[in-house]
Amino acid sequence: MQPPTSPRPAGAPVHRLVPSPAGRTHLVEQGSGPLVLLLHGFPESWYSWRHQLPALAAAGYRAVAVDVRGYGRSSRPAGLDAYRVRELVADAVAVVEALGERTAVVVGHDWGSSVATNAALMRPDVFRAVAMLSVPYAPRGGPRPTSVFASMGGDEEFYVSYFQEPGRAEAEIEPDVRGWLAGFYAALSADTMPGPGAPSPHFTGPGGTLRERLPADRLPAWLTDTELDVFAGEFERAGLTGALARYRVMDRDWEDLAEYDGAPLTQPSLFIGGELDASTTWMADAIDAFPVTLPGLVSSHLLKGCGHWVQQERPEDTSRLLVDWLAALPPAAC
């Protein structure tokens, strides 16, 4: 999957709406060449890939960042079943087809990483290579996810459990979306996260809220006021229910993926995580298991001094690692 020998003019990003099982999927496209599909996490949007779109386009790729269903300008179907991972995989396949392509490389961050790995697992005919940012691949297995998360934290409540009850987190976030997002982004960023000994922003005390533990007086260096306005504007228009639905269908995904219990992901793969990200520390065992779970792994990277928002905290490093990995893929991965 070699890019051109010299950078191409990237052109301006183009917004499009394409049909998908969700109804419509909003995407932003830049460049031409082999298709690279970019899937965001929570609480983000296509805009989290704003640095990678021009970098991939300049390197000779057709970079496409979507709003996952429930977010931004994509459809927000009613009912939790609409947000099962198999439905999001179907959306990703539909985007590839709507763009006139047969295959793509899929790249995901946070929840997008989970969707990307499951897309590669369920549709290897379409997704020939997969890159994971922040959240490593961990094969389906073990007890129900909600049972695991409910047992964490002792007297405190883990944020994933906090998100389970419909309407609960919305009541906390939606009165001041911008302020909540600012605190959440800061809490998981290397330069603004709470210091050692401070209460963890991943848990709430009895009867408390997540916001009580989020930084309220600073933005991370990677996020300007204008960029925060973009993220906040999308959620102020679309609400949070569709985005939070992914947390509320985890057990249903666990049931749906039973046939893939313990399955390795065999396509060429890449992992990029932040050294200071809780996702990489809590899931260190999953990273250690990569020789078994990711037999096609090309390389794995933990970026020093980086938190959770990898492609935004360290945009140049992330883009360089992606471009180098893409260039090394065999032609069959295009």
Side-chain angles (χ1 to χ4, degrees):
M1 192 172 180
Q2 291 289 337
T5 55
S6 59
R8 295 180 181 178
V14 176
H15 291 255
R16 296 177 60 182
L17 294 174
V18 299
S20 68
R24 68 174 184 275
T25 294
H26 169 249
L27 60 85
V28 179
E29 176 181 5
Q30 193 166 4
S32 61
L35 177 60
V36 181
L37 186 64
L38 305 167
L39 305 177
H40 66 80
F42 176 89
E44 301 175 279
S45 71
W46 75 268
Y47 192 64
S48 66
W49 300 106
R50 62 195 176 280
H51 303 294
Q52 284 68 49
L53 285 168
L56 292 173
Y61 300 100
R62 186 182 189 184
V64 174
V66 305
D67 280 333
V68 175
R69 69 163 67 189
Y71 288 81
R73 290 174 243 180
S74 292
S75 292
R76 302 185 296 278
L80 286 178
D81 279 344
Y83 296 90
R84 292 166 111 134
V85 72
R86 65 188 184 189
E87 305 297 337
L88 274 65
V89 169
D91 285 346
V93 172
V95 167
V96 174
E97 294 174 349
L99 294 174
E101 304 285 354
R102 292 190 300 173
T103 64
V105 172
V106 62
V107 181
H109 171 253
D110 184 77
W111 267 119
S113 177
S114 175
V115 177
T117 54
N118 280 293
L121 195 65
M122 298 167 71
R123 292 299 305 268
D125 57 316
V126 176
F127 301 106
R128 303 301 183 92
V130 57
M132 299 147 278
L133 275 60
S134 295
V135 175
Y137 177 60
R140 188 267 190 203
R144 288 180 176 274
T146 54
S147 298
V148 175
F149 295 126
S151 67
M152 298 173 61
D155 292 336
E156 297 191 325
E157 185 177 20
F158 191 48
Y159 80 99
V160 175
S161 298
Y162 182 84
F163 285 161
Q164 292 302 307
E165 181 184 344
R168 184 184 181 192
E170 290 93 323
E172 173 186 337
I173 302 168
E174 290 182 352
D176 179 17
V177 170
R178 190 181 191 279
W180 193 91
L181 289 176
F184 195 75
Y185 295 148
L188 277 62
S189 297
D191 60 332
T192 48
M193 61 178 54
S200 171
H202 298 93
F203 293 86
T204 65
T209 65
L210 285 174
R211 183 160 189 168
E212 293 169 357
R213 298 189 177 183
L214 303 181
D217 57 351
R218 56 195 183 274
L219 287 181
W222 59 266
L223 183 66
T224 67
D225 282 314
T226 300
E227 290 169 331
L228 176 59
D229 287 342
V230 174
F231 284 116
E234 295 295 281
F235 287 108
E236 286 166 351
R237 182 177 63 250
L240 270 294
T241 297
L244 289 163
R246 284 298 303 135
Y247 293 94
R248 297 166 183 167
V249 296
M250 298 175 76
D251 284 352
R252 303 181 201 200
D253 288 345
W254 180 81
E255 295 167 358
D256 291 342
L257 297 171
E259 66 181 286
Y260 299 102
D261 195 87
L265 195 57
T266 59
Q267 290 99 318
S269 57
L270 169 73
F271 177 72
I272 308 171
E275 178 190 39
L276 302 178
D277 183 8
S279 296
T280 58
T281 54
W282 287 337
M283 300 187 72
D285 288 348
I287 296 174
D288 291 342
F290 279 172
V292 174
T293 61
L294 293 174
L297 182 69
V298 174
S299 60
S300 177
H301 309 268
L302 282 180
L303 303 183
K304 292 185 179 299
C306 183
H308 182 68
W309 317 105
V310 175
Q311 75 270 35
Q312 298 180 88
E313 289 189 55
R314 301 284 287 276
E316 293 181 1
D317 290 335
T318 300
S319 296
R320 174 180 53 80
L321 290 169
L322 285 171
V323 168
D324 289 349
W325 171 69
L326 288 165
L329 292 177
C334 296

